[in-house]
Amino acid sequence: EELESRLFETTNKEPALDKIRSIITSDYQVDTSGRFIVVSLKSKAYAATDVEAVKNRLEQAYLFYLRHYNLQPSDKLFTVYLVPNNAELQRLAGLIHGIRLPSNSLGYSCLNDLSLIGIAKPNSVGTLYHELFHLTKRREVGDVPPWLDEGVACMYSVYNLKENEIVGAKNTWRVSHFKLLSQLRQNKVTFPSLQQLISMSWSEFEGGSNKNMCRASVHYAMSNMFLLYLQEIAKVKDMIAAYKERLQTRKDTLGVGHDN
């Protein structure tokens, strides 16, 4: 209920700004234009031009997602929290959502209040693109398997811009990370088949009951590389469309965690 109280229509900005200001501390500043409310630290090098550049890049990405995947725009505002480093990410996650993140986190998103938080700079917004895809896709497409959800989002974390198109780049850090992990087979890092990967539940994808981070890293990297292949043969849109048009035969997992 608290998170849902932070949702406001795009035409209702003043109450939205008042709500966000009641959550954060005086260390932060709030700015808005279009569909995004942007929160950033006053004491860091987020000049007005930096914030404007981030908003413009997010608007570009959002319109691309809508156009590319044939989705309808949301009538709600998104709240974006910009942070300069992991320490501030941890601090803000505790403040706004009461959670503690893994130490290697770069960002996350929350559908219940349409918020995304990430380490970002004006020319480095891949984490925000990643999280924005999750939020944009979820409204119409709903649940999708983890390999597809995270594979597409990871694809847009490292990207190239071609006119008005955002294209996943092949020089992603996950490829290098995957090569490193492949050298650790002797340490019981296992590599699933493609069939096993696409059949995984969220729990399995995230490393199993013991949250094995090496195993989860393999799954993320494999999903990223598989989606880059599907992008190359122009099949990503078809995959998203197939899930969008499927029959809804089971309860959505929103609010109860990942459970596919």
Side-chain angles (χ1 to χ4, degrees):
E1 291 178 357
E2 166 57 28
L3 295 179
E4 290 178 355
S5 74
R6 303 175 188 177
L7 292 174
F8 292 88
E9 294 183 357
T10 53
T11 56
N12 209 16
K13 290 184 179 179
E14 286 306 316
L17 292 173
D18 290 342
K19 180 64 178 180
I20 297 302
R21 290 189 182 108
S22 74
I23 300 167
I24 60 178
T25 68
S26 58
D27 297 330
Y28 300 92
Q29 58 190 2
V30 184
D31 191 18
T32 182
S33 70
R35 72 188 75 248
F36 296 102
I37 297 172
V38 180
V39 180
S40 59
L41 275 174
K42 293 178 181 178
S43 61
K44 297 297 178 180
Y46 285 125
T49 53
D50 294 335
V51 175
E52 188 64 26
V54 170
K55 286 188 295 187
N56 289 340
R57 288 182 178 274
L58 286 172
E59 183 71 20
Q60 180 185 31
Y62 185 71
L63 293 177
F64 167 72
Y65 293 154
L66 296 183
R67 180 177 68 253
H68 194 67
Y69 295 109
N70 193 27
L71 304 173
Q72 295 299 312
S74 172
D75 60 351
K76 300 292 192 299
L77 292 163
F78 293 87
T79 304
V80 183
Y81 296 88
L82 302 181
V83 293
N85 51 51
N86 185 267
E88 192 57 36
L89 174 66
Q90 295 285 353
R91 177 190 175 201
L92 202 53
L95 177 64
I96 62 177
H97 291 127
I99 61 175
R100 182 173 179 80
L101 299 173
S103 60
N104 60 345
S105 294
L106 300 176
Y108 70 96
S109 56
C110 179
L111 183 66
N112 300 75
D113 62 358
L114 283 183
S115 66
L116 49 155
I117 174 173
I119 301 171
K121 298 177 181 178
N123 294 317
S124 181
V125 293
T127 296
L128 298 181
Y129 278 12
H130 178 121
E131 301 302 340
L132 183 60
F133 173 78
H134 286 315
L135 295 180
T136 306
K137 176 273 308 175
R138 185 57 185 262
R139 181 173 180 269
E140 269 186 88
V141 183
D143 274 346
V144 299
W147 68 269
L148 181 60
D149 199 1
E150 293 297 344
V152 178
C154 288
M155 186 174 70
Y156 293 130
S157 295
V158 183
Y159 60 90
N160 294 315
L161 296 176
K162 295 184 178 179
E163 297 181 353
N164 291 323
E165 301 289 306
I166 301 174
V167 180
K170 294 182 180 180
N171 62 334
T172 169
W173 62 270
R174 291 191 184 276
V175 172
S176 300
H177 189 55
F178 182 82
K179 291 178 180 178
L180 174 62
L181 288 169
S182 68
Q183 298 171 9
L184 303 178
R185 288 177 183 270
Q186 66 273 21
N187 294 335
K188 299 182 179 179
V189 177
T190 58
F191 292 75
S193 66
L194 182 58
Q195 180 62 48
Q196 290 171 326
L197 181 72
I198 65 176
S199 301
M200 285 181 182
S201 68
W202 275 103
S203 176
E204 292 167 331
F205 190 83
E206 296 287 357
S209 58
N210 62 345
K211 295 292 182 181
N212 185 311
M213 294 306 296
C214 283
R215 188 179 303 162
S217 294
V218 167
H219 301 161
Y220 274 80
M222 288 184 67
S223 298
N224 191 172
M225 288 186 285
F226 184 42
L227 262 297
L228 285 170
Y229 165 70
L230 292 179
Q231 175 184 253
E232 189 171 312
I233 62 173
K235 290 296 182 182
V236 181
K237 285 198 294 186
D238 292 343
M239 294 298 304
I240 296 295
Y243 277 95
K244 179 184 174 185
E245 296 164 7
R246 73 194 186 283
L247 292 175
Q248 299 294 330
T249 57
R250 61 182 177 80
K251 185 178 178 181
D252 194 359
T253 62
L254 174 60
V256 296
H258 296 308
D259 182 22
N260 282 7

